[in-house]
Amino acid sequence: MTVIAEDLLLLLLDDDSGKPLADSTKLPRVLAGALVVELAMSGSLRITGPDEEIKKDHVVVAGSTTEAPSDPALRRVFDLVASASRPMKPQKVIEKSQKNVAKELAARLVAQGFVTEKKDKVWGLFPTTTWPARDTSHEKVLRDALRSALVDGTTPSPHTAALISLISAVDLTHKVIVDADKKQLKHRAKQIAEGEWAGAAVRKAVSDVNAAVMAAVMVPVIVSTTSS
């Protein structure tokens, strides 16, 4: 069974070229965010509120589930939070979890037969790796579920709602569902992200992860602007 981050990457890879739809700043961070969201959904992690004993709002702490997840990618994020000397904000958890996460998850997709790995060089000098589609059956199930929720207006499962929320965070809903109105897709994705598809704590986790992804993406832009 795939985790949310694997499914997210599968949807964000172009089937023909194997290139990610998201750039190298957004992709690893939204994938790391997907791991945080899944841990929040399972109760392994949670994001605190302003009325709790921990005074700082929106920090990630170990949840009610004491058993660490068996999946290695989820386990690494869980251990990072559980072993921290103080609670971390979602953005910090993402930054500390995003290194090599895309390559790791892509290797898992290769091992499951969903994509193939293709290594090449740009201009014969710079190595590049792409992951063209191999078996699209699982991806089709995912995409059909997204289309049903986004275009037909059906109620998504928590798994599908999480995927939609994360894809929306990097503004790529229209790239995943290509033959639908972009404005309507964006509006519906926002409705789902803010809707009643999960408990309040999980919705807050998704919201904070999305904000953290967008904040991380803005940092290079701000640095570039101020240095020019």
Side-chain angles (χ1 to χ4, degrees):
M1 185 177 178
T2 53
V3 298
I4 292 172
E6 286 176 294
D7 287 346
L8 179 62
L9 178 57
L10 194 58
L11 290 165
L12 293 180
L13 290 175
D14 182 84
D15 285 350
D16 296 325
S17 70
K19 294 179 180 180
L21 300 176
D23 64 35
S24 58
T25 300
K26 294 179 180 178
L27 184 65
R29 289 170 173 84
V30 77
L31 293 174
L35 296 172
V36 173
V37 168
E38 182 144 356
L39 288 167
M41 290 172 69
S42 69
S44 296
L45 297 181
R46 65 185 178 85
I47 298 181
T48 65
D51 299 327
E52 299 187 49
E53 290 182 8
I54 299 172
K55 299 301 181 184
K56 290 184 178 180
D57 190 15
H58 304 308
V59 295
V60 184
V61 295
S64 57
T65 302
T66 56
E67 185 177 350
S70 58
D71 182 273
L74 294 171
R75 174 71 178 260
R76 189 165 55 251
V77 179
F78 177 87
D79 288 345
L80 170 69
V81 174
S83 62
S85 58
R86 63 181 64 184
M88 293 183 287
K89 287 186 175 293
Q91 185 174 346
K92 187 172 183 180
V93 176
I94 288 172
E95 288 302 317
K96 285 183 172 290
S97 305
Q98 56 91 21
K99 187 177 180 180
N100 295 325
V101 69
K103 289 182 179 180
E104 176 188 347
L105 293 171
R108 290 165 55 154
L109 295 179
V110 172
Q112 293 174 85
F114 296 142
V115 300
T116 58
E117 184 179 80
K118 183 179 179 183
K119 294 185 178 292
D120 206 345
K121 287 188 177 181
V122 178
W123 299 327
L125 296 172
F126 306 106
T128 181
T129 306
T130 54
W131 299 274
R134 181 181 179 186
D135 178 358
T136 59
S137 57
H138 179 62
E139 182 187 351
K140 184 179 184 304
V141 171
L142 296 173
R143 211 175 289 271
D144 286 348
L146 263 64
R147 175 180 295 280
S148 178
L150 290 168
V151 179
D152 301 333
T154 61
T155 301
S157 69
H159 187 97
T160 298
L163 284 172
I164 291 170
S165 301
L166 291 158
I167 294 169
S168 177
V170 287
D171 196 24
L172 288 172
T173 314
H174 63 291
K175 294 287 188 178
V176 174
I177 306 297
V178 295
D179 54 350
D181 182 83
K182 181 178 178 180
K183 188 174 180 180
Q184 290 182 353
L185 285 175
K186 192 170 184 176
H187 176 70
R188 176 62 178 153
K190 184 179 179 181
Q191 281 185 325
I192 290 171
E194 296 173 352
E196 299 297 323
W197 59 274
V202 174
R203 291 201 306 277
K204 184 150 64 69
V206 170
S207 176
D208 279 25
V209 166
N210 290 357
V213 169
M214 288 185 281
V217 168
M218 287 304 297
V219 168
V221 176
I222 294 169
V223 171
S224 174
T225 303
T226 54
S227 61
S228 58

